[in-house]
Structures are given as C-alpha cells and as structure tokens.
Amino acid sequence: GLARAGGLARAGGLARAGGVKPNRSHWNALLYAYATARQYNGGLMAYQRMVNAVGIRPDTYSMVALLKAGRRSRTGRTAVSFVLSEVEKYKIPMTVELASSAIACCRLTPYVSQEEADKSRQLANHVWGIMEDSGIKPNRIVYNTLLAARADAGDTKGVQELYDRLAADDTVMPDDATWRIMLRAFEKDYPMYEQYADLASTWTTLFPTKNREPS
C-alpha cells in the first residue's frame, strides 16, 4: 500500500517532468493508492494539491477515495465531515457509493467509548439524511452499514427501526451480513435475539444466498 502510493507519487512527478500534465483520473488514482494504504493524511495532502495548486475540480471518485483512506480509523469522522463540506462546496452529487462509504467511514475500531460510538452514529444518521434528501434510494450495503453503525452504539431502537424499513423495502433483501448485525445488536436482549435468530434461520432456508437478487 505505502509502496504503491509512493510509486504513483513518483510516477506523477515523472509525468510532469516529461511534459505530461496529470488529469483528474491520474490524481484520483493517486488518491485511491493512499486509500489502499489507509493513509488519510497523505491522501488529504494530495487532494489539497490537486484542488488548490493544480486547480482540478474533485468528483465523486475523489470523495470516495478520501473516505476509504479514513475508514475504520480515528480520522474517520474527520474525513466524513471534510468530504461533506467539499461535496457541498463543489456541488458533487450524492450517490449510493458515496453514502455507503461515508457511513462506513463513521465507524471506528472496536472498543471505543460510548460517547465516541454515539458521535459516530449521529454522523452516520446525518449522512443517511443527506442521502434521502438527495432522492437516493439505499441499497443493501447502505442499510447494512448504517445498521452496523447503530449497533456499534448500542442503539437497538434505531437498529429495529431501520430493519423494519429494510423489511418493507421490496427492492432490497437482507443477507448473511444483515443477520449477523441484527444478532450482534440484540445479543444482550435474549427474547429479541431468539426472535431474530429464528427469523434468520427461516429466511436463509427459504432464500439461499445463491438465489438472492443483488442489491
């Protein structure tokens, strides 16, 4: 990851030295290299150079790359807040991938404090609201990601409400990841845990993974 990021950075320097002016696709490739290396600060520096020094406008791919770089780290919420401000500044349209990446980036590594988990859940809910206001219909990845963010914070009411919405959405079907999140959310509430365990068993019997439509 780090070697790849460094290699692309050097390639960009060689391209400029050879008279080839890197375009947005080149810069986005560099941002994705930093994302692969989970180097948010390096990606942010490259992004700022792209926008401020070179004058290239960012797009959805640029935003997703920054979010992937900050995912599951202490910089996650910082990355989400920054990306949302850039989305508004440059009028970048919200997409399903952008929404799911932002919600995923809100989640922190395990064993954080309740206060930190609550902040992450609140920001994830905020991203969901922006997505809805933009008229974007959630897919299963978005549902699962927000379910997980709410489960992280112990927000069983929020998990239940979102699951009920997923269940009422005839374009999306739960998958194994959905059931794992639901069982984790209710692991301390045995009656609810048992209810979802039975539902998961019945569902996976009726709808084996290979027969489910992607969403």
Side-chain angles (χ1 to χ4, degrees):
L2 284 172
R4 184 184 177 195
L8 279 172
R10 289 191 295 273
L14 291 173
R16 290 191 297 276
V20 178
K21 185 178 180 180
N23 58 28
R24 185 165 58 195
S25 295
H26 296 119
W27 282 99
N28 281 345
L30 177 59
L31 294 177
Y32 268 92
Y34 279 110
T36 301
R38 296 290 175 88
Q39 292 292 316
Y40 173 70
N41 290 332
L44 180 61
M45 290 177 63
Y47 172 83
Q48 291 173 333
R49 183 173 183 180
M50 177 187 85
V51 173
N52 299 324
V54 183
I56 294 178
R57 290 178 63 88
D59 60 7
T60 302
Y61 295 105
S62 313
M63 301 295 98
V64 171
L66 286 176
L67 292 168
K68 288 182 180 295
R71 186 176 178 181
R72 301 292 284 182
S73 72
R74 297 290 175 178
T75 58
R77 289 201 308 268
T78 300
V80 173
S81 297
F82 176 75
V83 164
L84 292 181
S85 68
E86 294 296 280
V87 164
E88 182 175 358
K89 178 180 179 180
Y90 291 101
K91 308 301 181 186
I92 298 172
M94 178 61 69
T95 66
V96 168
E97 184 182 14
L98 182 52
S100 62
S101 296
I103 293 172
C105 197
C106 291
R107 299 185 62 201
L108 298 174
T109 52
Y111 312 118
V112 298
S113 68
Q114 183 64 46
E115 180 182 4
E116 291 296 310
D118 285 337
K119 289 179 180 178
S120 295
R121 172 183 55 83
Q122 291 165 6
L123 186 55
N125 287 339
H126 177 60
V127 173
W128 174 276
I130 294 174
M131 182 194 70
E132 286 196 308
D133 291 343
S134 300
I136 303 299
K137 189 173 181 59
N139 61 11
R140 185 168 57 213
I141 294 174
V142 176
Y143 275 115
N144 283 350
T145 307
L146 184 56
L147 281 170
R150 292 181 177 182
D152 289 344
D155 179 15
T156 53
K157 180 179 179 181
V159 169
Q160 178 70 64
E161 290 175 350
L162 187 60
Y163 172 79
D164 288 344
R165 178 163 175 174
L166 184 159
D169 188 337
D170 58 8
T171 67
V172 179
M173 297 176 70
D175 63 359
D176 294 339
T178 311
W179 300 122
R180 286 196 298 271
I181 295 166
M182 296 304 295
L183 294 177
R184 176 167 64 87
F186 292 99
E187 63 184 355
K188 295 181 179 179
D189 183 343
Y190 184 73
M192 290 297 292
Y193 180 94
E194 190 174 42
Q195 174 183 320
Y196 279 110
D198 289 343
L199 183 58
S201 177
T202 302
W203 185 274
T204 52
T205 298
L206 292 175
F207 303 101
T209 302
K210 65 179 180 179
N211 294 330
R212 297 179 210 157
E213 292 294 326
S215 59

